[in-house]
Amino acid sequence: MLPIVSEVQKYFYVLKICSLSTIVREYVAMRSISSLPFKDLILKAADVDITNEDRAWKLSRPLAEFIEGNHNKSQLEAIHAGLSRKSFVLIQGPPGTGKTQTILGLLSAILHATPARVHSNKGTLVGVKRGPELPIQEKYNHWEKASPWLTCSNPRDRIMPLNGDDGFFPTSGNEMKPEVVNSSRKYRVRVLVCAPSNSALDEIVLRILNTGIRDENDHAYNPKIVRIGLKPHHSVQAVSMDYLVEQKLAGMDSQAGDKQKQGGVTKDKDSIRASILDEAVIVFSTLSFSGSALFSKLNRGFDVVIIDEAAQAVEPATLVPLANGCKQVFLVGDPVQLPATVISPVAEKFGYGMSLFKRFQMAGYPVQMLKTQYRMNPEIRSFPSREFYNEALEDGPDVEEQTKRSWHKFRCFGPFCFFDIHEGKESQPSGSGSWVNVDEVEFVLAMYSKLVSRYPELKASSRLAIISPYRHQVKLFREKFRSTFGVESDKVVDINTVDGFQGREKDVAIFSCVRASKDNGIGFVADFRRMNVGITRARSSVLVVGSASTLKRDDHWKNLVESAEQRNVLIKVSKPYTDFFSEDTLKSMEVKESILERVEAAPEEVEVDMAIDASAANADQAQPEDNDWGDAGEAEGYDGNFGED
C-alpha cells in the first residue's frame, strides 16, 4: 500500500463498507453493565424487585382522573406498573392497541408523580416539613423580596434581549401554554425516550407537540423537549437539536471579529447543545446516538429511559442508552411483530438478533400487554388474536361499525379474503436473491382496477396499500402499475415491503405472498412475525393473495388458509384473471341482504394514514449510518438474500 501512496499521480479507489460507530457504542454499553444498579436483573432476567407501598409513586387526584378517563384497563395497568418504580417494566403493544397513547400517559404520570409516603388517603400532601407560622406583615415582607413582580415588574424582565434572543424555548407554534411548576413539587424527573428508527421516534414527538402532556392539575402543556438525531421529520423540526442550536446562534451577539467568530463557533455550538440538553425535561434520541459523546457531557443524567419498538432492536443496542445510568427502564414493543434486521447469518445463529425484551419475556419476566385494539375490523382481528396473542385481543367500542365499508357487499372485497392463485409460479431474478410472482402481480392489478373503478375514494395512497415480503416483487408492482395505468404508483396507491409498513395502517391492504412452487419451501415468508405485520395493516379489508398449497407447508400459514376455508372466504382463482372480476362473477359473490343493510349504514369517513410516512422516514434506517447518527435496519425490506432457499 505504501509504495502506491508515495507515487505521484497514481490513482487508487477507497470503498467505505460500513461505519463502526454503532458497533463501538454497543460494545462500550456491554462493558458498562457491571456498573449499572440493575446489572443482576439484566444478566439473570429474573423479577427480583420487591414492590411495596412506600416505594410506589402516586398521582394527584386531577391527573389520576384524567388518566383513568382516557386509557382503557390494560393501558392503565401498564401505567400503574410504571408507578410501582420497578427497575424494568415491559409493555407489549399488539397492532392497533394504542401504544403511543400509553407512552404519553406514562410521560404525564412519571413526570408528575410523588412518592406515596407524602400522600394522605385524601390525596393531599402530608408529612412535608414546614417552618413556623409568621405574622401576616412578616409574610408580606418575605413575599415582596421573593416575588418582586407582585408589586412591580420582574427585575429579569427589565433586561432586554439582545439581537432577538428572547430566551424562550422554541415550541411548535400551537397555543398550549408552557408548564407552570408547582412550588411544592420536588420530585421532577428527567426522561430519555429512544427508538431504533427515526420514524418511530418522530411519531411520539409529533403527538406531544400536538396534544402536550398533563401536569398534576390536569392542565395540558408543552414540556421542554429536544429531538436529537438524523433527518427529523419536518413536522418536528421546531424541537430538533440542529434547529434549536441555529436559533440560539442567530440570537448571539456577533460583534466579534471574523477570526474570533470562526474560532469560537464550534465551541459555542458545543456549549449550546449542552445547555439545551440540560434544560430539556424529555430528550428524544435514536438508540445509537444516545451513546454519542454529547450525552457524556451531561451535567445530570436521566431518571427514566423509555425505549419504543424495543423488540425491534438487538440487545446490545438497547443497552446503549442505559450506559449513561438511570433508575427505571420501560421496554415498549411487540416480539411477535418485526424483529431487528441482522444481515449476518452467523450472528443470527448465535443469538445476536434476540432483543432484550424477548429474552426477558422468555425468562418469565412479567409483561404488561395492551389488549384492546381500535384499528381492525373484528374479522381481521380474529386470526392474529388466536394465532399470536392467545385470544387476548378484544375490540374497542364501535370498532366493528367504524370499520364497515360499502365494498363489503362483495365477499371478495373483505373484511378478510384469501385468493388462491393455484396456477401461479414463483421465479428468481438472476443474481438477486429475491423472488417475484408475475401471476400474483397480474391478479392484484386486476383487483385494484375493479376496486377503484367501483369505489373511487380508494384511489389514494392514504387509503390503499399493496404489500409484499420481497423487494423485487414490490419493484415489479411499481413497474407494472406505471405501464398499466400510466401514472406513478405512489400518487394513488402505497406499494412497499412488509418491513416498510411496520407501525402503519391503511383502509385496505392487499398482501402478495409470492412463493408458489411444488417442492420449494417458502423462505422467510415463514417468519410468523412478518406474517403478523402483513395481515394487520388494514382497518377494513385485508386481501391475501397466494398459493394455498405452497403456503400450507408452514403451520401458521396452514392455520390461516384453514381459517379462510371455515369462514367461506377462500376463493380459488383461475386464469384469465380479468374474468374473475366480471360483473356476473361479482354478483355471485354478493353477501346476504341482512348483512348488506348494516354495511351500507356504516360511515364512509375514515382517518387518513399517519402524519409521518414511515415508508419515507424508515428509509433512514436502510442507510449504513452516514454522518455518525445511524441506526441499523432496512425499511425497504430485508428480503432474505442471506440464508434463503
Side-chain angles (χ1 to χ4, degrees):
M1 186 68 177
L2 187 58
I4 298 176
V5 175
S6 60
E7 290 184 29
V8 180
Q9 293 185 338
K10 186 76 174 182
Y11 293 96
F12 65 97
Y13 298 92
V14 177
L15 175 65
K16 177 184 176 181
I17 300 175
C18 66
S19 169
L20 293 178
S21 298
T22 295
I23 300 298
V24 169
R25 290 166 184 168
E26 290 177 1
Y27 176 75
V28 171
M30 292 181 65
R31 291 293 300 268
S32 71
I33 289 179
S34 60
S35 62
L36 297 177
F38 34 73
K39 63 179 179 181
D40 292 335
L41 178 57
I42 290 178
L43 295 174
K44 298 176 182 177
D47 186 16
V48 295
D49 277 6
I50 301 174
T51 304
N52 55 57
E53 287 297 318
D54 287 338
R55 187 178 176 188
W57 287 46
K58 293 191 176 181
L59 302 175
S60 65
R61 183 173 299 167
L63 181 56
E65 289 176 352
F66 169 80
I67 289 178
E68 289 172 9
N70 288 271
H71 297 82
N72 62 47
K73 182 182 176 183
S74 58
Q75 291 172 335
L76 285 172
E77 289 172 353
I79 293 172
H80 289 312
L83 292 174
S84 71
R85 287 308 196 232
K86 291 176 63 173
S87 298
F88 273 76
V89 178
L90 272 60
I91 301 173
Q92 183 175 1
T97 53
K99 181 166 57 72
T100 304
Q101 170 78 358
T102 306
I103 291 175
L104 263 62
L106 269 173
L107 288 171
S108 294
I110 61 182
L111 285 175
H112 306 100
T114 52
R117 57 187 166 78
V118 300
H119 275 266
S120 71
N121 292 332
K122 296 181 179 179
T124 56
L125 293 175
V126 297
V128 180
K129 294 182 179 180
R130 302 182 184 277
E133 188 74 14
L134 296 174
I136 188 64
Q137 190 57 46
E138 195 72 17
K139 287 183 179 180
Y140 286 149
N141 293 336
H142 279 278
W143 288 340
E144 184 174 355
K145 292 177 181 177
S147 307
W149 51 86
L150 293 176
T151 56
C152 60
S153 63
N154 187 343
R156 291 183 179 180
D157 290 342
R158 299 193 201 109
I159 303 174
M160 298 304 293
L162 299 175
N163 296 327
D165 181 11
D166 58 8
F168 288 103
F169 196 88
T171 67
S172 62
N174 59 30
E175 297 303 315
M176 266 185 293
K177 295 180 179 179
E179 179 186 22
V180 178
V181 180
N182 190 315
S183 60
S184 67
R185 186 199 299 166
K186 301 177 181 178
Y187 305 100
R188 186 58 174 271
V189 298
R190 292 187 76 212
V191 182
L192 173 63
V193 179
C194 293
S197 68
N198 290 295
S199 59
L201 202 61
D202 287 339
E203 183 182 342
I204 305 173
V205 178
L206 183 61
R207 285 283 294 274
I208 289 182
L209 290 177
N210 288 339
T211 66
I213 63 173
R214 300 280 172 155
D215 65 13
E216 61 266 37
N217 297 313
D218 187 21
H219 294 146
Y221 75 96
N222 271 337
K224 287 188 175 182
I225 65 176
V226 59
R227 162 44 166 113
I228 303 173
L230 179 66
K231 297 179 182 177
H233 193 264
H234 63 82
S235 59
V236 302
Q237 188 72 30
V239 292
S240 67
M241 175 62 85
D242 290 342
Y243 177 83
L244 296 175
V245 169
E246 292 303 320
Q247 290 292 101
K248 290 277 188 180
L249 282 174
M252 292 177 64
D253 189 0
S254 56
Q255 294 182 356
D258 288 345
K259 291 184 179 180
Q260 290 179 321
K261 283 168 61 180
Q262 292 171 1
V265 166
T266 302
K267 186 176 180 181
D268 286 342
K269 283 189 174 182
D270 288 342
S271 62
I272 290 172
R273 288 192 189 101
S275 68
I276 290 172
L277 268 180
D278 283 333
E279 289 174 10
V281 175
I282 310 173
V283 175
F284 293 86
S285 169
T286 55
L287 288 171
S288 175
F289 199 77
S290 66
S292 68
L294 180 60
F295 282 82
S296 64
K297 298 174 183 178
L298 283 173
N299 294 324
R300 179 188 163 200
F302 297 96
D303 302 283
V304 176
V305 174
I306 299 175
I307 301 177
D308 190 20
E309 302 291 4
Q312 209 176 347
V314 296
E315 184 166 341
T318 307
L319 297 175
V320 173
L322 310 188
N324 297 315
C326 63
K327 299 171 185 175
Q328 189 178 30
V329 181
F330 290 86
L331 300 180
V332 186
D334 187 4
V336 291
Q337 293 191 65
L338 290 182
T341 299
V342 177
I343 303 298
S344 167
V346 178
E348 184 70 54
K349 177 184 176 183
F350 286 98
Y352 180 70
M354 181 176 290
S355 65
L356 182 63
F357 191 117
K358 182 63 177 176
R359 183 166 67 84
F360 269 44
Q361 187 181 48
M362 291 175 63
Y365 194 89
V367 177
Q368 303 294 324
M369 181 172 168
L370 308 182
K371 298 177 181 178
T372 305
Q373 72 88 18
Y374 302 90
R375 173 190 297 168
M376 300 169 280
N377 185 283
E379 286 293 306
I380 301 174
R381 181 266 309 150
S382 62
F383 178 78
S385 178
R386 181 174 66 253
E387 191 76 9
F388 307 122
Y389 301 105
N390 298 315
E391 291 280 18
L393 293 188
E394 56 192 33
D395 300 319
D398 303 323
V399 166
E400 184 171 8
E401 289 298 321
Q402 291 169 1
T403 55
K404 283 178 181 175
R405 300 291 182 265
S406 54
W407 51 85
H408 289 170
K409 68 185 291 184
F410 298 107
R411 185 163 54 96
C412 59
F413 292 151
F416 171 73
C417 191
F418 188 103
F419 297 94
D420 180 13
I421 312 298
H422 64 100
E423 297 173 302
K425 293 288 187 293
E426 66 182 31
S427 60
Q428 193 169 31
S430 177
S432 69
S434 188
W435 294 86
V436 297
N437 188 316
V438 177
D439 296 289
E440 288 186 13
V441 172
E442 182 184 342
F443 175 78
V444 168
L445 291 184
M447 177 162 55
Y448 170 83
S449 179
K450 179 59 68 172
L451 261 174
V452 298
S453 64
R454 276 185 167 268
Y455 307 99
E457 65 269 27
L458 287 176
K459 199 173 183 180
S461 59
S462 62
R463 298 289 297 274
L464 193 148
I466 298 174
I467 309 171
S468 178
Y470 292 96
R471 185 188 298 124
H472 274 67
Q473 182 79 343
V474 167
K475 181 181 177 183
L476 182 60
F477 266 122
R478 290 171 177 168
E479 291 172 352
K480 291 290 186 181
F481 197 99
R482 188 185 309 113
S483 62
T484 304
F485 300 108
V487 294
E488 294 295 332
S489 61
D490 57 0
K491 292 180 174 60
V492 289
V493 63
D494 199 343
I495 306 175
N496 213 327
T497 59
V498 174
D499 297 57
F501 269 105
Q502 167 112 347
R504 302 170 63 203
E505 59 187 69
K506 300 287 182 180
D507 213 28
V508 176
I510 303 172
F511 187 90
S512 171
C513 299
V514 178
R515 303 310 295 265
S517 66
K518 290 183 179 180
D519 305 313
N520 291 341
I522 63 171
F524 85 131
V525 175
D527 186 339
F528 68 93
R529 296 165 296 190
R530 278 187 170 81
M531 176 188 184
N532 185 26
V533 172
I535 63 176
T536 57
R537 298 305 95 196
R539 290 186 286 263
S540 68
S541 295
V542 59
L543 311 174
V544 182
V545 179
S547 167
S549 60
T550 302
L551 294 171
K552 284 173 74 172
R553 295 168 195 158
D554 173 78
D555 289 340
H556 291 295
W557 282 103
K558 180 182 178 181
N559 292 340
L560 179 69
V561 172
E562 290 177 350
S563 173
E565 287 177 321
Q566 292 164 8
R567 291 187 270 175
N568 194 30
V569 287
L570 175 65
I571 301 175
K572 195 170 185 177
V573 184
S574 300
K575 297 180 179 179
Y577 299 129
T578 51
D579 290 354
F580 178 81
F581 294 105
S582 66
E583 290 302 317
D584 290 340
T585 306
L586 285 179
K587 190 172 182 179
S588 69
M589 287 188 286
E590 286 190 19
V591 296
K592 293 180 181 180
E593 196 68 29
S594 59
I595 302 175
L596 260 177
E597 292 171 359
R598 291 184 293 151
V599 171
E600 289 172 349
E604 280 298 320
E605 293 80 23
V606 297
E607 57 180 294
V608 297
D609 196 24
M610 297 298 297
I612 296 176
D613 188 345
S615 65
N618 274 351
D620 296 336
Q621 288 181 269
Q623 303 304 318
E625 207 192 2
D626 288 336
N627 303 317
D628 200 30
W629 298 81
D631 299 277
E634 189 166 359
E636 263 298 283
Y638 165 53
D639 59 7
N641 292 350
F642 300 86
E644 215 190 295
D645 298 337

